[in-house]
């Protein structure tokens, strides 16, 4: 299992502790250090069963800084944007088998550790 993880994010820390408490092995994808490849972003968007916009942190300042309204962006444009500005991807995102899970709340964490 891979986790798109930001060590400064309280939601990521909560998920990390839940995984450790259950003894679940996971790979920390420190995307702010390594970036996101276009292949990884495509995998996330293709594997997520909900609205692709759920995978984006639309209130991040980077959109305003770039003069963009995320609600007006097309999917392919957003995918390119996330490769250039990975801070705007939702977190924590869990890649479990072929499923993409947003683990920001108790329900998401339960899906991961359940």
């Amino acid at each position: 299992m891979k986790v798109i993880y930001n060590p400064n994010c309280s939601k990521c820390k909560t998920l990390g502790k839940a995984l450790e408490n259950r003894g679940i092995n996971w790979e920390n994808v420190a995307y702010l250090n390594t970036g996101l490849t276009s292949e990884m972003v495509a995998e996330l968007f293709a594997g997520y069963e909900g609205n692709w916009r759920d995978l984006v942190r639309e209130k991040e300042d980077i959109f305003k800084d770039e003069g963009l309204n995320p609600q007006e962006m097309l999917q392919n444009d957003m995918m390119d944007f996330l490769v250039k500005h990975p801070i705007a991807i939702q977190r924590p995102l869990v890649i479990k088998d072929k499923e993409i899970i947003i683990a920001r709340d108790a329900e998401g964490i339960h899906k991961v550790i359940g």
Side-chain angles (χ1 to χ4, degrees):
M1 161 181 345
K2 293 181 183 181
V3 179
I4 307 296
Y5 190 90
N6 178 340
N8 297 320
C9 170
S10 62
K11 304 291 186 183
C12 291
K13 290 177 188 177
T14 299
L15 174 64
K17 286 180 184 179
L19 293 170
E20 289 171 14
N21 289 342
R22 293 284 179 115
I24 298 172
N25 292 326
W26 57 286
E27 179 184 342
N28 176 346
V29 179
Y31 68 101
L32 293 178
N33 296 331
T34 61
L36 295 169
T37 65
S38 56
E39 292 81 12
M40 177 166 251
V41 172
E43 175 186 336
L44 292 170
F45 275 60
Y48 185 65
E49 292 185 7
N51 184 325
W52 64 267
R53 292 190 183 279
D54 295 342
L55 299 174
V56 181
R57 296 174 56 84
E58 294 184 342
K59 294 181 182 177
E60 282 292 331
D61 289 339
I62 192 66
F63 290 107
K64 190 182 298 180
D65 295 346
E66 295 289 320
L68 297 169
N69 179 345
Q71 287 293 315
E72 295 175 354
M73 295 175 73
L74 300 174
Q75 182 175 343
N76 286 340
D77 295 334
M78 182 61 77
M79 292 169 69
D80 291 341
F81 185 84
L82 292 174
V83 171
K84 293 176 188 163
H85 305 284
I87 190 69
I89 195 134
Q90 190 58 266
R91 61 181 188 256
L93 283 179
V94 177
I95 304 165
K96 183 179 179 184
D97 300 318
K98 299 260 184 196
E99 186 177 14
I100 309 299
I101 303 165
I102 299 172
R104 292 190 56 80
D105 58 15
E107 181 181 342
I109 291 172
H110 181 73
K111 278 184 172 181
V112 172
I113 64 174

